[in-house]
Amino acid sequence: MDPDDQPPMQLETTVRSYNYYRNAVEKHWDPHEVDLEADREGVTDLPEPAFRGLKQSLALFGAGEESVTEDLSPLAVVLEDIGDQMFITTQLYEESKHTDFFDRYWREVVRPEEQRRGQDLTSPTDEAWFNEPYDELFERNERAMARLLEEDTPENRARAYCHYHLTIEGILAQTGYYGLTLAYGENEPELPDLPGLVEGLKLVRSDEGRHVGFGMAKLKSLVSEGEVDPDLLRETIDELVPLVQESLAGDDGASTEAGPGPSPSDLADYAYTKHEQRMQQITSASEAIPDVEELTELDA
């Protein structure tokens, strides 16, 4: 960005954070403008196990988006840089939009189909959708973020970014969204196309790429300036990955045993490759964090 193009208020703003903010503004989307008409017809072709699997996934990710919307606030309090603060406001807004999209999909696609099948209407907040590892993962994230208000240290910031941006958004959410996109897109002939779901997930994934990139950039700064040992990052995430795996075991919504959609091993390989790539970009002095345009391209 040309310094002459920066507003006067940005005297102490990092250019990267400001660029993230601008990218969020320019890529604004409305969850109520996603067309769900074809999905209401397509979901009628889902066998009952696949329909329940879809509901399980929507509940998990909808609740996850709601939880991270609530948990992000401490970071907005402790970040001093105006560019960081501007970006965090967009992230809070976007997490709310993601929550809105999943809630709308449940109301306008899932419940009408439950009615058509003569089933009791369910709620995405029913405790039956969530297991103990899932609850523990988000409770740990909440504690890591809240700890910033008690003791704002480089180590606690690093743990917060590892919990929120790298694990929940970078591993859990992006891998799950990737799997659902493959399962209900045009490349899976054994499942009906759900174009509204796929479009919404692509928009959510683009936002999440920006969020993950912000966390990566903050972690790289902490590591490169010698404030945090890279081992802290790996140790923190290594403790969380088993909870991610147990949260989604058998409930990825994209496939059943020997069923259609990407296999759990395919998704695990995808998550591992992306995570290792990000860790290398964070911890290696010779590698850079991708720019924001690349981060918001799918599978970047």
Side-chain angles (χ1 to χ4, degrees):
M1 175 181 291
D2 187 332
D4 293 336
D5 294 335
Q6 299 180 31
M9 60 174 274
Q10 205 186 326
L11 294 176
E12 299 181 2
T13 297
T14 59
V15 172
R16 180 183 290 273
S17 293
Y18 180 75
N19 285 347
Y20 286 174
Y21 159 78
R22 283 303 312 167
N23 183 269
V25 172
E26 292 161 5
K27 293 196 172 184
H28 169 81
W29 60 279
D30 183 346
H32 284 252
E33 290 181 354
V34 177
D35 187 356
L36 301 181
E37 186 62 36
D39 291 46
R40 284 188 280 269
E41 180 177 345
V43 78
T44 63
D45 294 329
L46 276 177
E48 185 56 36
F51 182 47
R52 178 172 176 81
L54 174 63
K55 290 193 290 184
Q56 176 95 50
S57 294
L58 294 173
L60 288 171
F61 294 123
E65 295 290 353
E66 181 177 346
S67 178
V68 295
T69 302
E70 297 169 344
D71 296 342
L72 186 61
S73 298
L75 198 58
V77 173
V78 300
L79 290 175
E80 305 91 352
D81 184 277
I82 183 61
D84 290 347
Q85 293 171 352
M86 291 168 71
F87 170 74
I88 289 296
T89 62
T90 67
Q91 184 171 351
L92 279 163
Y93 173 54
E94 287 166 352
E95 304 294 7
S96 299
K97 286 199 305 182
H98 302 169
T99 301
D100 189 10
F101 172 74
F102 286 110
D103 178 72
R104 178 186 173 224
Y105 201 91
W106 199 282
R107 287 184 287 104
E108 298 186 17
V109 177
V110 170
R111 281 185 175 166
E113 179 60 15
E114 288 177 330
Q115 289 179 315
R116 191 191 70 82
R117 297 187 185 207
Q119 300 173 349
D120 292 336
L121 298 185
T122 61
S123 167
T125 60
D126 287 345
E127 292 186 5
W129 302 120
F130 315 113
N131 59 23
E132 290 185 10
Y134 181 91
D135 290 337
E136 176 66 18
L137 179 66
F138 281 90
E139 287 171 5
R140 290 194 190 187
N141 179 66
E142 182 181 4
R143 291 197 297 269
M145 298 300 291
R147 195 175 298 121
L148 294 174
L149 301 179
E150 302 166 1
E151 189 177 6
D152 180 20
T153 65
E155 291 81 8
N156 281 343
R157 286 197 184 192
R159 292 186 182 97
Y161 291 128
C162 285
H163 277 76
Y164 192 113
H165 295 86
L166 290 197
T167 303
I168 287 182
E169 292 195 309
I171 300 177
L172 175 69
Q174 287 204 329
T175 302
Y177 296 153
Y178 170 75
L180 283 176
T181 300
L182 289 183
Y184 294 105
E186 296 177 355
N187 58 336
E188 178 49 71
E190 296 185 54
L191 289 171
D193 291 348
L194 300 178
L197 177 63
V198 170
E199 179 186 354
L201 290 175
K202 286 181 177 179
L203 292 166
V204 170
R205 289 172 64 201
S206 179
D207 290 346
E208 300 286 8
R210 187 188 310 110
H211 303 169
V212 172
F214 176 81
M216 290 172 63
K218 304 307 288 184
L219 284 167
K220 188 173 184 70
S221 177
L222 289 170
V223 170
S224 64
E225 293 174 9
E227 295 187 87
V228 168
D229 190 305
D231 288 343
L232 174 66
L233 279 56
R234 290 195 178 276
E235 291 168 2
T236 301
I237 295 171
D238 285 349
E239 290 179 359
L240 299 173
V241 166
L243 293 176
V244 174
Q245 295 170 331
E246 294 170 25
S247 295
L248 300 179
D251 288 317
D252 58 30
S255 62
T256 56
E257 292 186 17
S263 69
S265 63
D266 288 340
L267 293 179
D269 289 344
Y270 173 87
Y272 177 80
T273 300
K274 292 299 178 184
H275 173 63
E276 285 301 310
Q277 181 185 61
R278 291 170 186 143
M279 290 299 294
Q280 182 68 16
Q281 291 165 343
I282 290 169
T283 59
S284 174
S286 63
E287 296 210 25
I289 306 297
D291 65 35
V292 66
E293 291 296 337
E294 184 178 352
L295 286 163
T296 54
E297 291 295 322
L298 297 187
D299 303 334

